[in-house]
Amino acid sequence: MHFGHLRTGLDVVEQLNLDHLRLIPCAIPPHRIEPVATAKQRRMMLELAIKNHPKLVVDDRELGRDGPSYSVDTLLSLREDFPDNPLFILMGTDAFCSLPSWSRWQQIIELAHIVVMQRADEALLMSDELQTFYETHQAQKQDSQLSAGKIWSVSVTQMSISATAIRDALEQGRDVRYLLPDAVISLIEQLGLYPSAAASRTNG
């Protein structure tokens, strides 16, 4: 959880006037190898990263569910808790462009609005199928009161921070201050996550 995630999330909260943003740690990612940090450790990082911000909430519902953490199942669960509220699922451009590979992806728009977080230098390279889907569901300002069914494109702060690059830097023993919250860095150090190659050679 780095400042790129946090700042872009707040951009969406402010631009769409959302009540709050729920940050949901993934138990078993369907589209990538399992993270080095455990689900419990990633939840702890999230809690530290957003501590004291009134509009950011950690929601760990995926951690108690068996099997891959499919977004559509999470939205079905959220719909049970918020049957009438507008729900928005936030995605970066890469995630949105890969949407047709997601489980039951066309059901997502029935459960929530989709927010595509787009930085100034990012293009949407969509398949023909996704392009049609995007154009069909484009939101208008008045659609924010609907509970689901629209796609919102939101311009977010340009912050070229990569979680992969941060992990690589940690493993190389480089300083990652000002890329993610100090409290998260302290937890990573306390837990001994992503040990550097230099430290490994010294300890070995």
Side-chain angles (χ1 to χ4, degrees):
M1 176 52 63
H2 55 67
F3 287 133
H5 295 135
L6 297 169
R7 182 62 255 172
T8 54
L10 286 178
D11 286 342
V12 175
V13 168
E14 291 178 347
Q15 290 184 51
L16 295 183
N17 194 29
L18 304 184
D19 178 66
H20 67 270
L21 175 64
R22 305 177 86 84
L23 299 165
I24 304 177
C26 180
I28 304 175
H31 288 100
R32 52 165 290 188
I33 61 172
E34 192 165 346
V36 172
T38 66
K40 182 179 178 181
Q41 290 168 340
R42 287 182 282 114
R43 182 183 61 196
M44 291 168 64
M45 289 185 213
L46 268 178
E47 289 169 345
L48 289 171
I50 67 170
K51 188 177 180 181
N52 300 324
H53 196 290
K55 289 205 168 187
L56 300 182
V57 178
V58 174
D59 183 329
D60 64 359
R61 69 184 62 222
E62 289 190 356
L63 305 189
R65 199 166 69 218
D66 294 331
S69 302
Y70 293 124
S71 294
V72 67
D73 293 325
T74 302
L75 288 171
L76 285 165
S77 174
L78 284 163
R79 266 288 156 233
E80 291 180 2
D81 294 344
F82 305 99
D84 301 316
N85 293 62
L87 294 180
F88 298 78
I89 179 170
L90 280 56
M91 303 180 189
T93 53
D94 287 348
F96 179 72
C97 289
S98 70
L99 189 62
S101 70
W102 292 28
S103 177
R104 291 161 286 158
W105 69 278
Q106 292 184 328
Q107 190 178 353
I108 289 173
I109 200 77
E110 300 170 7
L111 298 166
H113 299 295
I114 295 173
V115 177
V116 183
M117 299 180 292
Q118 195 165 3
R119 299 180 179 90
D121 65 345
E122 289 182 317
L124 284 175
L125 303 176
M126 297 178 281
S127 66
D128 291 343
E129 179 185 29
L130 189 61
Q131 180 74 45
T132 300
F133 178 79
Y134 181 79
E135 293 172 355
T136 300
H137 295 284
Q138 275 286 279
Q140 303 298 321
K141 187 174 182 180
Q142 66 273 16
D143 293 334
S144 61
Q145 299 307 309
L146 298 175
S147 62
K150 297 296 181 179
I151 299 173
W152 302 78
S153 184
V154 175
S155 297
V156 294
T157 304
Q158 182 73 35
M159 296 184 75
S160 298
I161 302 176
S162 157
T164 299
I166 290 173
R167 286 191 295 271
D168 290 345
L170 286 165
E171 290 169 357
Q172 293 164 19
R174 302 205 315 269
D175 196 333
V176 295
R177 280 177 292 181
Y178 315 123
L179 295 175
L180 64 166
D182 288 342
V184 176
I185 296 174
S186 296
L187 181 65
I188 288 170
E189 292 173 347
Q190 290 169 21
L191 296 175
L193 297 171
Y194 319 113
S196 70
S200 298
R201 287 196 297 270
T202 300
N203 294 334

